[in-house]
Amino acid sequence: MKIAVIYYSATGSVHKLAQAVAEGAEKAGAEVRLRRVAEIAPDEAIDQNPAWREHLESVRNTVPVASHDDLIWADAYAFGTPTRFGNVASQLKQFIDGTGRLWMKGHVVNKPSTAFTSAIAVHGGNESTLLALYNTMYHWGSIIVPPGYTDASVSAAFGNPYGIAHPSGPGAPSEETLVAARYQGQRLATVTAQLLAGRRD
């Protein structure tokens, strides 16, 4: 059971969620690749926000950059993105938009997928961002695995059944949010294991 956790994070909130999702999947027995997509924003924009520059430098040599080989390798996916006007960040979108040949060759078909996000406010476009990201998964023929209300940790972390969503205005993700993100990774791994077992039967 192999899971790729692929995300974009500007100032670190989605990065922390991605780490938690990966931890949950690993605890459930999955082999996990934690990968960040390449930064495409110009240095002038990044340098206007010290937290953005600080986070980029902190992961430059510690988190590998995602490639499409990671999608071929994995049995399931967890995608993370900050909200950009209720939509997917361009950095992650560019990575996803290059997957046409993988899709045509069937490399992404029937693979379970889940998603998580972060906006400044609780109602800052989190749900619409997750739904926008899932649009790609529908086209891929993926099996969407949202957290739903299948565990109390979801309700304790703002109650988003589409995927864990962190309101970053007050600061870093709370422990309650990280617990819910770990649960989302665990759920993805559990569902993936069940599907793989069914295919072998």
Side-chain angles (χ1 to χ4, degrees), residues 89-153:
S90 59
Q91 290 85 346
L92 181 61
K93 190 65 165 60
Q94 181 178 23
F95 175 83
I96 289 173
D97 284 348
T99 61
R101 291 192 179 189
L102 297 185
W103 167 72
M104 286 189 290
K105 292 181 178 180
H107 290 303
V108 295
V109 175
N110 295 332
K111 293 187 177 182
S113 298
T114 197
F116 52 96
T117 191
S118 177
I120 290 177
V122 174
H123 300 293
N126 287 313
E127 290 181 356
S128 66
T129 297
L130 293 171
L131 290 171
L133 185 49
Y134 286 142
N135 283 338
T136 296
M137 310 302 106
Y138 303 142
H139 282 259
W140 280 0
S142 290
I143 299 166
I144 308 300
V145 184
Y149 293 114
T150 57
D151 189 82
S153 64

Side-chain angles (χ1 to χ4, degrees), residues 27-52:
K27 187 175 180 180
E31 179 183 354
V32 177
R33 285 186 183 179
L34 180 66
R35 299 288 188 266
R36 61 186 175 90
V37 298
E39 179 60 81
I40 60 174
D43 284 334
E44 308 87 76
I46 298 170
D47 289 335
Q48 289 178 12
N49 184 340
W52 191 354

Side-chain angles (χ1 to χ4, degrees), residues 11-14 16-17 118 158 166-175 177-178:
T11 58
S13 291
V14 176
K16 289 182 173 64
L17 296 179
S118 177
F158 305 103
H166 166 61
S168 63
S174 66
E175 183 56 29
T177 301
L178 295 177

Side-chain angles (χ1 to χ4, degrees), residues 45-89:
I46 298 170
D47 289 335
Q48 289 178 12
N49 184 340
W52 191 354
R53 172 58 68 187
E54 181 182 355
H55 176 68
L56 179 60
E57 296 305 322
S58 73
V59 298
R60 189 180 299 278
N61 297 316
T62 58
V63 182
V65 173
S67 74
H68 290 161
D69 287 339
D70 296 314
L71 297 179
I72 297 172
W73 169 85
D75 298 310
Y77 310 125
F79 290 102
T81 179
T83 292
R84 295 290 184 262
F85 299 109
N87 217 320
V88 181

